[in-house]
Amino acid sequence: MDKQKLVMIGNGMAGVRAIEEILRENPNLYDITIFGQEPHPNYNRIQLSTVLQGDTTVNDIILNDWKWYENNNIRLFTGESVIDLDLKKKYVRTDKDRVVVYDKLIFATGSSPLMIPIPGVEKQGITGFRDISDCETMINCSEQYKNAVVIGGGLLGLEAAKGLTNLGMSVKVVHLMPYLMERQLDATASTMLKQELERQGISFLMEKQTVEITGEKRVSGLRFKDGSTVDADLVVMAIGILPNKALAEQVGIDANRGIIVNDFMKTNSKDVYAIGECAEHRGIAYGLVAPLYEQAKVLAKHICNKETEGYQGSVTGTQLKVAGVDLYSAGEIESGPDTKAIRVENEYEGVYKKVLIRDNQVVGTVLYGETAESTRLFRMLTQKEDISQMTSLSILQPAGEAEESDVASMPDEELVCGCNGVSKGTIVEAIHAQNLTTVNEVGACTNAGRSCGRCKPMIGEILEHTLGDSFDSSQQKEAICGCTTLSREEVVTEIRAKGLTNVKEVMNVLDWENDEGCSKCNPALNYYLGMVYPEYKDERVARLVNEKMHANIQKDGTYSVVPRMYGGVTTAEDLKKLAEVATKYDVPLVKLTGGQRIGLFGIKKENLTAIWEELDMPSGYAYGKTLRTVKTCVGKTFCRFGTQDSMGLGIELEKKFERIDTPHKFKMGVSACPRNCAEAGIKDIGIVGVDGGWEIYVAGNGGTDLRAGDLVYTVKTKEEVIEFASVFLQYYRETGTYLERTSKWVERMGLENIKKVLEDETQRTLLLERLDKTLARYNEPWKEAIENDEIKEKYYQVTTY
Ligand SMILES: Cc1cc2nc3c(=O)[nH]c(=O)nc-3n(C[C@H](O)[C@H](O)[C@H](O)COP(=O)(O)OP(=O)(O)OC[C@H]3O[C@@H](n4cnc5c(N)ncnc54)[C@H](O)[C@@H]3O)c2cc1C
Ligand SMILES: NC(=O)c1ccc[n+]([C@@H]2O[C@H](COP(=O)([O-])OP(=O)(O)OC[C@H]3O[C@@H](n4cnc5c(N)ncnc54)[C@H](O)[C@@H]3O)[C@@H](O)[C@H]2O)c1
Ligand code: SF4
Ligand code: FES
């Protein structure tokens, strides 16, 4: 039987989750087409706040990459909007004039930021905070301007304010009401929150109504109803959202605030459904993912002809994603005549808890400063548990807390992942049934942890508790070393999420078994920190011995000195200096290396800095997990076969990337014709001149794991070669595991996946920006050692006992 045609408008979080659920229910029922206005595959919009706050990158927030669509035979059209549809003839039409017919249609169009319709709102420098492009606007702005004003002191506004502060801007939040987050917090919690955010450097203008945006072409300030003003170079509007319902309304589908749906997410039009923020169910258009994912399950079951009770509406719980702020609220916020409140306020420790009770049931809670009880209170609230037998203390604190770990005493039905509605029981069952051993595997099977990510530590604890003795051994397989059970991915996620900034801090916060770490994790953590933070101050003590010394230690305890010879090209002057040094210090071996330079071997430690000073040449990093050499052939200037300037390009590449930290050593080669004298086919990046351009090969390796490079592109100019090398190198830096060569990395990641990321304009721009920032942090290490007595004394003096 022919598959039915399912078309979805919108490629966002709720819609794609519905598709995932449909594929889970019945992968063979539908031929699926998705249209997405944004140019990206499905990404985690929630994490835009963390991207803005500098804790993660756009690459890391992709939920389903291009390959996923391909693997599931989903036709995806990105950067393309549906602008019209015909409900009778059952087709949609896009802004690229593409017409696609459907049997079933899903609206998953999400919302748009509400912009205050006041004079000046069209000026440059005004943005919402909804998508990757808004995020980029803010990041770019922060590089040129100083004063940011965020209008709206709700969840979005405060997360934006924190992000802009982290980006170095001076941030003011303009709020209409007397209290921040007035929909989620009461006055006490709101005041505590404001004090904390002020402490973190954010200013507030409360009870201000903006009436005009001033400035010429670009915003220069805001004017308020009371006549006061504030300067602004950037204005972020975060005053709420409006469901995208216009297209549905335009063709006569019933809509109110959102597109009206019944309990099966069906609109009033045959075979047309709506889901996510664009949908209105029983009068509510939700703006958090938890209810949207519940809708996704119901919709999937319904259109796969499985039985379902239907969507009944949701109670939602809220958390703010700002470091240093721990708050939670759910249900009713303010006491009423028929509610009784349990309140605990500890000003000294900055803790506030309020639970509202009506008819022996919890109907609302606000927690600030300590939110460990949030999941239990949320369960009591949503399950309408009878609490008549409980004391106020036992409502706020579970019994037996001291004896048992939280996860051990947690009942199976307790919710672990609020975003995805996954309980402890479901996780434990999945661990047993599918032999899961990592947090990510649990996520892939149950969805737990795939949204805001706050529940990941608890999932880890459940894994540990459930697997007992087998936990360690199973985790060790991918742990970065024996000091931890955490994998590279988990460590990097934690560094970003917790803002960890140095090796010791990572070990402390992530409960390293060995306080000092080991020779495996010290350099790996130093590398990951340097990869996450472009301005990272390298921790020399954490490095491997050769990198610590900036010279390779030899088997007899002496060292080698290999100065940089860009592109393997040298001069008579440099050769003279090398000869003089070799004679003066009686260097036992002077040898041409495989990377086309000259190495001095057998140097005593105490002579290293003197030799470097006399050579006055940069370090060749022959010891480093970094760019080693760019081997070149003589090229068109001298060789009769040469069609390109291989030496010129090689030297330019080496000068650009020298000193950059990479997961493992990185080599390049440039040949000026396919005879390939520079052996570019066995380099991490190999470039071969052809008529009218260059072929680019990647992931070649001439070492123990011999591998020929894969041809990725043929380009016309050297600028294109340099740009490719830049983004490739940076993407490898960001996703490679420490000590993983590109040959292994490319096989693990898949060359096609890598190409897709590198071909994405936005990703490319961001990768280049991060690479440039990182390259700016390096100093010449030999020069530093010569000029710095402390370094000289610490590393290069002979110790006598
Ligand atoms: C910065 C930020 C932080 C957030 N933090 C949290 C949080 O911590 N917890 C939480 O639960 N929620 C959070 N949210 C809200 C959450 O991200 C949304 O509820 C969720 O993304 C909504 O999913 P959706 O699929 O309905 O809409 P979206 O994810 O917005 O997807 C809709 C997509 O449809 C596209 N589209 C619209 N019209 C068309 C058309 N005509 N043709 C083609 N494509 C179209 C849009 O471009 C968009 O890509 C946050 C939101 C933001 C912006
Ligand atoms: N951590 C999270 O869960 C999280 C984070 C970000 C966004 N979101 C979601 O994104 C959506 C948008 O968030 P939001 O904060 O924009 O919406 P919101 O409606 O929650 O908050 C908007 C805030 O702006 C204030 N406001 C309204 N008009 C104003 C004006 N003219 N001047 C100054 N202040 C004004 C309101 O008083 C309100 O507090 C929501 O659905 C939210 O749930 C959630
Ligand atoms: S690669 Fe080509 S140009 Fe370069 S030296 Fe060999 S033959 Fe000559
Ligand atoms: S609670 Fe948000 S992903 Fe689990």
Side-chain angles (χ1 to χ4, degrees), residues 75-367:
R75 254 189 319 281
L76 171 68
F77 298 102
T78 52
E80 190 160 342
S81 302
V82 173
I83 53 167
D84 199 8
L85 62 138
D86 190 317
L87 293 171
K88 280 212 181 88
K89 295 185 184 141
K90 290 185 132 181
Y91 68 77
V92 300
R93 192 166 57 78
T94 74
D95 55 355
K96 294 197 173 145
D97 236 3
R98 194 189 308 274
V99 171
V100 176
V101 294
Y102 65 82
D103 296 308
K104 293 212 177 346
L105 177 69
I106 302 174
F107 275 88
T109 46
S111 303
S112 298
L114 191 57
M115 305 300 270
I116 321 175
I118 45 172
V121 70
E122 72 298 334
K123 288 191 199 309
Q124 284 172 15
I126 305 190
T127 181
F129 182 18
R130 181 73 196 175
D131 53 29
I132 288 180
S133 150
D134 296 335
C135 215
E136 285 164 359
T137 302
M138 288 188 256
I139 292 170
N140 290 340
C141 226
S142 72
E143 284 163 8
Q144 293 179 55
Y145 299 100
K146 185 78 195 129
N147 293 319
V149 171
V150 176
I151 308 184
L155 289 158
L156 188 66
L158 298 180
E159 290 181 11
K162 177 64 182 168
L164 293 165
T165 310
N166 285 7
L167 289 170
M169 297 195 84
S170 154
V171 183
K172 294 190 173 63
V173 174
V174 172
H175 193 54
L176 194 60
M177 311 299 281
Y179 295 107
L180 297 174
M181 282 179 60
E182 75 284 352
R183 293 185 191 175
Q184 294 91 1
L185 301 180
D186 63 8
T188 311
S190 174
T191 307
M192 292 169 93
L193 170 66
K194 181 160 167 275
Q195 282 166 354
E196 171 58 27
L197 294 176
E198 280 168 342
R199 205 187 56 72
Q200 296 192 16
I202 300 169
S203 314
F204 292 92
L205 299 169
M206 305 298 283
E207 297 182 76
K208 294 276 182 193
Q209 190 180 343
T210 315
V211 290
E212 189 188 350
I213 298 178
T214 54
E216 296 289 317
K217 257 184 160 175
R218 188 183 176 86
V219 56
S220 64
L222 300 183
R223 200 166 55 73
F224 302 117
K225 198 171 174 194
D226 61 11
S228 59
T229 58
V230 65
D231 289 345
D233 307 312
L234 167 71
V235 173
V236 181
M237 294 241 192
I239 57 162
I241 47 176
L242 280 178
N244 292 324
K245 57 169 182 173
L247 179 62
E249 263 181 334
Q250 169 188 315
V251 292
I253 296 172
D254 280 353
N256 185 28
R257 177 172 162 74
I259 304 167
I260 296 172
V261 292
N262 68 9
D263 288 358
F264 302 98
M265 312 316 294
K266 226 181 132 314
T267 68
N268 65 320
S269 180
K270 191 169 175 313
D271 293 326
V272 181
Y273 298 81
I275 184 171
E277 283 189 354
C278 67
E280 177 180 316
H281 173 262
R282 299 187 190 174
I284 303 177
Y286 293 91
L288 294 169
V289 291
L292 311 185
Y293 289 166
E294 285 182 49
Q295 296 176 354
K297 276 193 190 133
V298 169
L299 172 62
K301 278 204 178 336
H302 181 71
I303 69 171
C304 290
N305 308 314
K306 301 268 173 77
E307 215 165 285
T308 164
E309 185 197 352
Y311 178 59
Q312 304 298 313
S314 309
V315 180
T316 53
T318 323
Q319 294 165 327
L320 184 71
K321 303 190 295 298
V322 168
V325 174
D326 205 7
L327 69 77
Y328 180 81
S329 92
E332 296 176 31
I333 306 303
E334 298 296 348
S335 306
D338 57 348
T339 53
K340 296 250 178 316
I342 304 171
R343 245 189 233 100
V344 174
E345 191 173 352
N346 177 344
E347 266 187 54
Y348 179 66
E349 288 179 0
V351 174
Y352 172 70
K353 299 178 186 183
K354 181 167 92 175
V355 178
L356 288 179
I357 295 159
R358 182 186 300 116
D359 300 335
N360 289 321
Q361 285 175 4
V362 172
V363 292
T365 182
V366 177
L367 306 173

Side-chain angles (χ1 to χ4, degrees), residues 9 92 145 159 227 236 316 366 401 442 479 491 534 544 606 668 719:
I9 314 175
V92 300
Y145 299 100
E159 290 181 11
V236 181
T316 53
V366 177
E401 202 179 35
V442 171
V491 169
L544 294 170
E606 61 272 28
M668 296 195 204
E719 285 72 26

Side-chain angles (χ1 to χ4, degrees), residues 402-454:
E403 292 100 59
E404 280 188 287
S405 83
D406 281 355
V407 293
S409 60
M410 197 188 245
D412 273 357
E413 62 279 14
E414 190 138 319
L415 208 55
V416 172
C417 177
C419 291
N420 293 282
V422 187
S423 66
K424 176 189 163 189
T426 307
I427 294 175
V428 172
E429 211 178 294
I431 293 172
H432 286 311
Q434 323 239 12
N435 294 327
L436 309 180
T437 58
T438 68
V439 173
N440 287 344
E441 284 172 5
V442 171
C445 280
T446 64
N447 282 325
R450 283 185 71 209
S451 307
C452 74
R454 281 182 79 113

Side-chain angles (χ1 to χ4, degrees), residues 341-522:
I342 304 171
R343 245 189 233 100
V344 174
E345 191 173 352
N346 177 344
E347 266 187 54
Y348 179 66
E349 288 179 0
V351 174
Y352 172 70
K353 299 178 186 183
K354 181 167 92 175
V355 178
L356 288 179
I357 295 159
R358 182 186 300 116
D359 300 335
N360 289 321
Q361 285 175 4
V362 172
V363 292
T365 182
V366 177
L367 306 173
Y368 187 92
E370 204 179 276
T371 56
E373 295 90 42
S374 59
T375 47
R376 202 173 48 85
L377 287 166
F378 188 68
R379 185 198 69 222
M380 289 156 85
L381 193 158
T382 48
Q383 308 287 310
K384 300 191 164 102
E385 286 177 17
D386 180 357
I387 55 159
S388 53
Q389 303 305 311
M390 296 176 81
T391 63
S392 52
L393 195 67
S394 65
I395 291 170
L396 283 177
Q397 233 170 42
E401 202 179 35
E403 292 100 59
E404 280 188 287
S405 83
D406 281 355
V407 293
S409 60
M410 197 188 245
D412 273 357
E413 62 279 14
E414 190 138 319
L415 208 55
V416 172
C417 177
C419 291
N420 293 282
V422 187
S423 66
K424 176 189 163 189
T426 307
I427 294 175
V428 172
E429 211 178 294
I431 293 172
H432 286 311
Q434 323 239 12
N435 294 327
L436 309 180
T437 58
T438 68
V439 173
N440 287 344
E441 284 172 5
V442 171
C445 280
T446 64
N447 282 325
R450 283 185 71 209
S451 307
C452 74
R454 281 182 79 113
C455 56
K456 281 186 172 180
M458 191 175 278
I459 300 172
E461 283 174 39
I462 295 174
L463 264 166
E464 194 168 355
H465 178 69
T466 311
L467 296 178
D469 286 347
S470 61
F471 177 68
D472 275 347
S473 54
S474 54
Q475 288 281 56
Q476 298 282 334
K477 276 186 246 153
E478 58 171 351
I480 65 172
C481 71
C483 306
T484 178
T485 53
L486 300 174
S487 66
R488 175 238 181 246
E489 200 186 328
E490 286 163 336
V491 169
V492 171
T493 306
E494 292 287 324
I495 289 175
R496 291 194 158 119
K498 298 197 161 85
L500 308 177
T501 54
N502 63 61
V503 172
K504 273 271 148 346
E505 194 182 11
V506 175
M507 291 176 179
N508 286 341
V509 175
L510 304 185
D511 286 335
W512 240 238
E513 264 176 35
N514 172 4
D515 286 353
E516 298 299 314
C518 66
S519 59
K520 245 177 148 179
C521 59
N522 267 295

Side-chain angles (χ1 to χ4, degrees), residues 724-741:
F724 171 81
S726 304
V727 291
F728 180 82
L729 192 69
Q730 182 63 12
Y731 193 48
Y732 166 52
R733 293 187 70 242
E734 292 183 5
T735 52
T737 302
Y738 186 68
L739 297 187
E740 182 180 40
R741 285 296 296 265

